[in-house]
Amino acid sequence: MIVKRIQGKGILAKLLEQCVRILILKECKKINNLKINIISSSAKIIKGEIQKINIFAENINYKDLLFDKLEVEADNIKIFFKLTNKELYFKKNPIIKFKISLSQKSLKAILFSNSWDWISELIVNEVLNQKQLEDIEIINDELLIKASEKNITKNKEEKINIKTEKGKIYLQKKTNKKSIQIPIEDKIFIENIYIENNLINIIANSPISI
């Protein structure tokens, strides 16, 4: 899903790219290196159709969820585009495919944030039978969680498998296979999740309704 520019792109495609850029910037607290490529003829756009859209971005903060990289791809999207005020809506909740990558730094920032620390509590309580998360590391493409009882300095360390099953994300202890489902929006379907080069990579699809 590498964004490639096309020579001679039509004015309507360029206007749509600007509209999509505005929508994304409104949703994110931070986003860098945002690239949007819409592949569609002016005739198709006038009919309310986009043949293909590719999006790439880095260092994203979306509702205090931090992603190092984001790649989005969608085909044959039906739209309502009002040229006079550059108003854009997607029809029939099109399905997008996306890949997000998280580093150890991003994962720590999420789990220790005030917005998402309830997830870290859920993980350490249900999987490690501890009270609070002390640290989380990705070492040699393996997830290591350190947790403890409150007011006790001794930490418990566990290697954790991360996997997907029936479109959901699960964390599982390697020692006794005890696992927990990580809460995500019902509309998101996780196709694959894996750790490579010490990055957690999530490939998924979801309908959008903007």
Side-chain angles (χ1 to χ4, degrees):
M1 294 187 284
I2 299 174
V3 176
K4 294 181 179 179
R5 306 302 299 178
I6 296 179
Q7 295 295 326
K9 184 185 292 288
I11 184 66
L12 290 183
K14 290 179 180 178
L15 282 172
L16 275 178
E17 288 175 353
Q18 289 303 313
C19 290
V20 173
R21 177 179 293 273
I22 290 168
L23 288 174
I24 292 172
L25 292 176
K26 282 183 179 179
E27 291 294 320
C28 297
K29 292 183 178 180
K30 176 186 176 184
I31 187 166
N32 294 336
N33 197 23
L34 176 59
K35 297 177 182 178
I36 302 164
N37 186 25
I38 289 177
I39 302 170
S40 199
S41 66
S42 293
K44 287 278 189 182
I45 294 170
I46 290 170
K47 291 179 181 179
E49 299 175 10
I50 296 176
Q51 292 167 274
K52 181 182 281 291
I53 181 169
N54 293 317
I55 299 170
F56 174 85
E58 295 177 313
N59 302 322
I60 304 106
N61 183 333
Y62 173 72
K63 297 181 180 178
D64 292 328
L65 293 171
L66 307 185
F67 308 130
D68 291 72
K69 290 183 182 179
L70 168 70
E71 297 175 73
V72 178
E73 182 179 279
D75 298 314
N76 302 317
I77 305 167
K78 306 295 183 182
I79 62 167
F80 172 78
F81 181 45
K82 200 170 183 178
L83 189 58
T84 52
N85 59 1
K86 299 180 183 178
E87 193 174 13
L88 173 65
Y89 297 100
F90 296 113
K91 296 179 179 179
K92 298 181 180 180
N93 296 338
I95 302 295
I96 63 167
K97 297 180 180 180
F98 61 91
K99 176 184 177 182
I100 56 178
S101 300
L102 299 87
S103 64
Q104 174 182 293
K105 181 179 178 181
S106 296
L107 187 60
K108 280 185 180 182
I110 293 169
L111 294 178
F112 285 104
S113 71
N114 291 330
S115 299
W116 300 102
D117 59 356
W118 62 272
I119 291 184
S120 65
E121 291 178 8
L122 182 68
I123 292 169
V124 296
N125 289 343
E126 297 296 325
V127 180
L128 278 72
N129 196 29
Q130 299 290 302
K131 294 297 183 182
Q132 64 186 25
L133 179 68
E134 297 293 342
D135 197 8
I136 187 163
E137 297 178 297
I138 303 173
I139 302 173
N140 297 324
D141 291 342
E142 288 189 315
L143 195 61
L144 179 66
I145 294 179
K146 299 177 182 179
S148 70
E149 295 288 342
K150 288 186 177 179
N151 303 319
I152 298 177
T153 57
K154 187 177 180 180
N155 293 341
K156 182 177 181 180
E157 296 184 6
E158 288 283 355
K159 287 184 178 180
I160 303 294
N161 288 324
I162 186 166
K163 65 177 186 175
T164 182
E165 186 176 310
K166 296 181 180 180
K168 303 299 181 183
I169 297 175
Y170 291 86
L171 296 183
Q172 182 182 67
K173 282 176 68 174
K174 287 194 173 184
T175 52
N176 62 9
K177 304 302 182 182
K178 186 177 181 181
S179 66
I180 183 174
Q181 180 183 321
I182 301 301
I184 59 173
E185 290 187 61
D186 289 338
K187 67 180 182 179
I188 299 174
F189 186 91
I190 307 299
E191 299 176 11
N192 193 17
I193 186 166
Y194 60 95
I195 301 177
E196 185 176 67
N197 298 323
N198 287 333
L199 286 175
I200 297 175
N201 298 285
I202 303 171
I203 298 173
N205 66 69
S206 174
I208 55 171
S209 55
I210 297 176

